[in-house]
Amino acid sequence: VDKTRFQMPWTTPMNKNIDDPGIHPMMKPLLKPEELQVGTHYGASFMKWYWVKKYRRRTNSRFHFPEVSLVTGKPIDWMYGEPKSGYEAVKVFGPNTLELKNLPMGRTPQYMEERLRRFFSKFGAIVHCRAVPHPLDPYQCEGTGFITLKSRKAALQAVKAPLKFPASLHDKVVKMRDLDTDKQSDAQQWTKIERWDRQLCSVAEQLHSNLLEKGERSLEQAFRDVSEIDINGRFEAADESVFQRFGGWKAFLQSDPFYELFHITPEGVLRPLLVTSEQRRRILIRARHRLREKRQEDYFPHWRAGRVALPAHTERNIRLWDYSGKDPLPEELQIMSRSTLYHVIHDEKFLLKRRMNKVRNARRKEVREEYRAKYVADKERRLTSKREASERIAQITHG
């Protein structure tokens, strides 16, 4: 640790007399006469700051010597550095490189590299993956990363996919940029998808109410008298959310569970199914859960989905560390690993009680499974009979 001197402007000047009892004897050899007249204190610091010569402009023209780069938006150090173009990573990692911004901090670069590899590996083979460490703390990520894919097609597909981290990583939405074509990802893509899913439930409710009041209509006119709210808060015709998420009205109305509200005839006529308001509310709640699952399946598939199967020895090693699908240790072995201060392991009453509880829990589990199977069968039967009755009523009504 270097001894450093720093002035405290809010302190009062010391006494000029070096024999002043207020000055510690160990400090007297270090003091100079001129320093006794200024409020000077001695201390130590763990951070070493080296002196840097102050930069002075040779000319006042900001056209030739701009203070901020027009490409990267960062200040330019004309004395000790050079302007950067923003594409230096291509020279290091090669073509098909993506620049990632807004990565969460508080994690090691190795942790972030593993997360990025698992996400981008579903698009294609990865050549390089780099999470830049922080300059003042090498054990956490700075917020910038680079990923290099093997094919051009995989890089273009990866730019379009929204990458959003969970709440444990601060809900960060990563901004991606292709350094070859300068194409950027839409930072609002995930927000738009969530808004579209919310609007779909509102569209289904409005359409079902309109069909019950005004009667059937053709599938091409399904958007009539149905509106949705755009990203600016204005009302518009309900088309964007349907086509963005399902590609068309027919796929939307025949998806699960919206098929419980609508019936499309072979001639392309859209008719409502008779359900109560409470049933419609429950169907829309299930629709919101199903849309969330669809969102997770579309944008967050498993990193091994669609890939070549792993070798047998690799699968075996993975199963050795996977405890989720394994049965727990027997109760007797778990008890033997505990302290005798809390459990009398060899007590006959205690062991008998544990065996009785185990038999009781097994009996309860069997009863629950029987009740669950009966409930599911009754529910399927009711839904089938209700669907058949609605179709018969629709046939009789519209003849």
Side-chain angles (χ1 to χ4, degrees), residues 217-222 250 263-271:
R217 64 179 67 170
S218 62
L219 189 60
E220 291 77 9
Q221 300 295 326
K250 187 174 182 180
H263 174 68
I264 302 176
T265 62
E267 293 80 13
V269 179
L270 180 61
R271 296 172 180 172

Side-chain angles (χ1 to χ4, degrees), residues 28-79:
K28 292 180 180 180
L30 301 176
L31 299 178
K32 297 180 181 180
E34 60 271 13
E35 294 177 348
L36 294 175
Q37 302 177 5
V38 186
T40 305
H41 294 260
Y42 286 82
S45 173
F46 288 100
M47 302 185 69
K48 299 181 180 180
W49 300 95
Y50 298 98
W51 178 83
V52 179
K53 183 179 178 182
K54 186 177 180 180
Y55 169 70
R56 297 184 181 275
R57 287 180 176 274
R58 290 181 294 175
T59 175
N60 293 329
S61 173
R62 294 192 178 185
F63 178 77
H64 297 285
F65 299 95
E67 294 182 351
V68 180
S69 173
L70 301 178
V71 179
T72 60
K74 296 182 179 180
I76 302 176
D77 187 2
W78 289 97
M79 177 169 289

Side-chain angles (χ1 to χ4, degrees), residues 112-375:
M112 292 306 307
E113 290 174 4
E114 178 64 22
R115 294 293 296 257
L116 294 175
R117 283 183 181 274
R118 292 200 173 196
F119 178 80
F120 287 99
S121 61
K122 61 177 178 283
F123 299 105
I126 295 177
V127 182
H128 298 290
C129 181
R130 170 68 170 166
V132 181
H134 199 278
L136 298 180
D137 188 359
Y139 294 100
Q140 71 170 330
C141 184
E142 181 195 21
T144 305
F146 299 95
I147 192 83
T148 304
L149 292 99
K150 193 171 184 180
S151 64
R152 182 88 215 113
K153 181 180 178 182
L156 295 177
Q157 289 179 351
V159 172
K160 299 178 182 179
L163 173 55
K164 180 178 181 297
F165 286 100
S168 60
L169 295 176
H170 319 298
D171 290 324
K172 289 285 188 177
V173 178
V174 179
K175 301 177 183 178
M176 293 180 279
R177 181 168 70 102
D178 187 5
L179 298 183
D180 292 337
T181 61
D182 206 22
K183 290 185 177 181
Q184 301 183 9
S185 62
D186 188 1
Q188 301 294 330
Q189 181 67 18
W190 186 258
T191 306
K192 291 179 181 178
I193 294 172
E194 292 179 342
R195 181 179 60 83
W196 291 333
D197 290 348
R198 290 194 301 268
Q199 294 299 322
L200 286 174
C201 296
S202 176
V203 167
E205 185 175 6
Q206 296 179 47
L207 181 58
H208 190 264
S209 300
N210 292 339
L211 291 176
L212 290 177
E213 294 177 2
K214 303 179 181 179
E216 62 185 26
R217 64 179 67 170
S218 62
L219 189 60
E220 291 77 9
Q221 300 295 326
F223 63 91
R224 283 190 307 142
D225 302 330
V226 180
S227 61
E228 65 181 9
I229 303 176
D230 62 359
I231 195 172
N232 297 319
R234 296 189 296 264
F235 286 92
E236 60 179 8
D239 266 342
E240 181 185 6
S241 58
V242 175
F243 282 91
Q244 288 288 348
R245 297 295 287 150
F246 289 94
W249 283 92
K250 187 174 182 180
F252 164 58
L253 298 177
Q254 290 181 346
S255 61
D256 182 31
F258 294 108
Y259 69 88
E260 300 179 15
L261 296 175
F262 307 98
H263 174 68
I264 302 176
T265 62
E267 293 80 13
V269 179
L270 180 61
R271 296 172 180 172
L273 297 180
L274 300 179
V275 293
T276 63
S277 59
E278 180 65 21
Q279 291 174 344
R280 184 172 64 183
R281 187 184 66 85
R282 294 183 179 182
I283 291 173
L284 294 178
I285 291 175
R286 286 193 286 111
R288 283 196 292 269
H289 292 299
R290 183 65 191 94
L291 289 174
R292 185 175 65 250
E293 295 175 359
K294 182 178 182 299
R295 187 165 63 240
Q296 296 289 335
E297 294 172 0
D298 293 344
Y299 294 97
F300 296 100
H302 191 265
W303 66 287
R304 288 296 305 175
R307 305 295 299 276
V308 179
L310 295 174
H313 65 279
T314 307
E315 289 283 357
R316 184 170 60 254
N317 293 336
I318 292 176
R319 285 196 297 270
L320 290 177
W321 292 95
D322 186 12
Y323 294 96
S324 59
K326 295 183 179 180
D327 297 332
L329 290 175
E331 188 73 21
E332 293 77 9
L333 296 180
Q334 295 185 29
I335 294 175
M336 292 179 63
S337 63
R338 298 172 186 172
S339 173
T340 56
L341 300 177
Y342 299 95
H343 296 280
V344 184
I345 298 177
H346 302 288
D347 189 358
E348 296 182 358
K349 293 183 179 180
F350 176 75
L351 296 178
L352 177 61
K353 184 178 179 181
R354 299 304 300 178
R355 284 196 296 269
M356 293 175 61
N357 291 341
K358 187 181 297 185
V359 174
R360 181 199 63 187
N361 294 337
R363 190 182 303 111
R364 287 181 178 178
K365 185 176 180 181
E366 294 178 358
V367 173
R368 290 196 200 99
E369 291 179 354
E370 293 178 0
Y371 175 78
R372 188 180 295 109
K374 182 181 178 181
Y375 175 77

